[in-house]
Amino acid sequence: MNFHLAWVFFCIISASLIFGSRKYKIEPNRELNIDGLRYLLAAFVVFHHNDISKAYFETGKWALNDPILGYMGQFGVAVFFMITGYLFGDIKKDTNWISFLIKRFFRVVPLTYISAIICISIATYVGIKLGNNADFSNVIYWFDGGLSGVKPPIYGFKDAQFIGAAVMWTLYWEWIFYFSLPLLSFAFNKTYTVGICIAAISILAHTADFLKIPLHHTSLLLFFAVGVLIKNLKVISSSHSIIKSTLASLILIYCLFVSNIHSAYNLTSFVLIGVFFLLVAKGGNLFGMLSTRGFVVLGDASYSIYLLHGIAWFIMNKASFHYGIQNKDVAYYAIQTFVWYAICFISLMSYKHFEKPFILYGKKVASKFEATCTKEA
């Protein structure tokens, strides 16, 4: 492992220790493995984009330098989609779907507005500096909550989406899954659900090429399907967590450091990542790491970490390259470490004072809507 990768894992572990304070409450009756895993996945994406952000300021291209960090970010996205499938893989067909979407709206959308406002402000500043003509004609796409997955230029700055690390594309796929649930739910919670999932995965994997579905899109659909499958599997007990942790750790190490495959969006990676998530979801807590307070607390803030980190890296690199700090290894690593801790702190504050109040408000609005529906019935 080279120095940079060692630094990445130092940052991930040290932040969990720094922010594992008992002043952050952990609610009872939670799947701590999943919550802690969210932090690890978000951190993978953060340092994936850390590498890309520096390359962008060096070359003007949004491209990777390190294939391991590239795989790390894709691994994070893949398992995030599996978690979505897992969390909603047993939702009932008689769910009040309007109420469900209300709660999803207040969970997902408000923070995208904060991210959009910051990105638009920075893009406007950059556009003015470049001498571009004022242009906000496509600004509405920045406030669609991720429904379109499109973040067009602002004020003539064609790379405006990269201010936020271009992460909104994943929300487009999340919304597709949410809107599909009323239909998919008819196949959930049945004795044959597992069989349907396996059949669907097999058919999609073997016909995607014939149907000319891009491999990237196929992989994303498969990740959701695996999450649903794992939710409905009952065959692995919660005992023997050491064995599960060992196997999950070996798969993670193999995927990141041993395998010659540098993309998570292929069938080989799909199988390995799916087994990894199965082991974690069924008790493999990576030798207790995922259930530590720091990982769980930062897992709560993972959505804020995900949406806001790109902005932090962009501002950091804009300043660093302006003053030539990127060429001074010690100073640049020190600044990156500080900014990473700042991302974690700001994200924790965002979750506590912004995300969570909107989550609770969404539940309140949804409850009122359900009560109204009950009275009218």
Side-chain angles (χ1 to χ4, degrees), residues 18 41-42 56 59 71 169 192 208 216 218 260 277 284 306 311 315 318 325 331-332 334:
I18 292 170
L41 302 176
Y56 172 76
T59 66
Y71 192 100
W169 70 269
Y192 49 78
H216 178 260
T218 302
N260 292 322
F277 181 61
Y306 183 74
I311 298 169
I315 294 172
K318 187 75 172 173
I325 299 174
Y332 190 58

Side-chain angles (χ1 to χ4, degrees), residues 227-300:
V228 175
L229 171 63
I230 292 172
K231 183 67 173 186
N232 288 275
L233 279 176
K234 311 295 183 183
V235 297
I236 300 182
S237 67
S238 59
S239 60
H240 308 299
S241 63
I242 293 178
I243 296 174
K244 294 170 191 171
S245 292
T246 301
L247 293 174
S249 299
L250 289 174
I251 291 173
L252 183 60
I253 291 169
Y254 176 81
C255 287
L256 296 182
F257 304 114
V258 180
S259 175
N260 292 322
I261 299 174
H262 297 305
S263 172
Y265 306 134
N266 60 73
L267 296 182
T268 301
S269 290
F270 157 73
V271 172
L272 290 170
I273 296 172
V275 174
F276 168 84
F277 181 61
L278 170 65
L279 292 166
V280 172
K282 300 300 182 179
N285 56 20
L286 302 186
F287 305 105
M289 183 177 71
L290 297 181
S291 58
T292 59
R293 175 172 289 274
F295 269 71
V296 174
V297 166
L298 287 166
D300 283 339

Side-chain angles (χ1 to χ4, degrees), residues 66 72 124 142 190-191 201-202 224 271 275 291 308 313:
D66 190 317
M72 192 179 287
T124 300
W142 286 80
K190 303 287 196 304
T191 56
I201 290 169
S202 179
F224 284 123
V271 172
V275 174
S291 58
L308 302 178
W313 290 144

Side-chain angles (χ1 to χ4, degrees), residues 19 304 308 312 341-351:
F19 296 102
S304 284
L308 302 178
Y341 294 150
I343 290 169
C344 291
F345 176 75
I346 292 169
S347 297
L348 283 168
M349 293 301 100
S350 171
Y351 174 74

Side-chain angles (χ1 to χ4, degrees), residues 80-90 177 224 227-228 231:
F80 266 131
F81 282 153
M82 289 182 185
I83 289 176
T84 297
Y86 179 81
L87 292 177
F88 299 105
D90 61 350
F177 181 74
F224 284 123
V228 175
K231 183 67 173 186

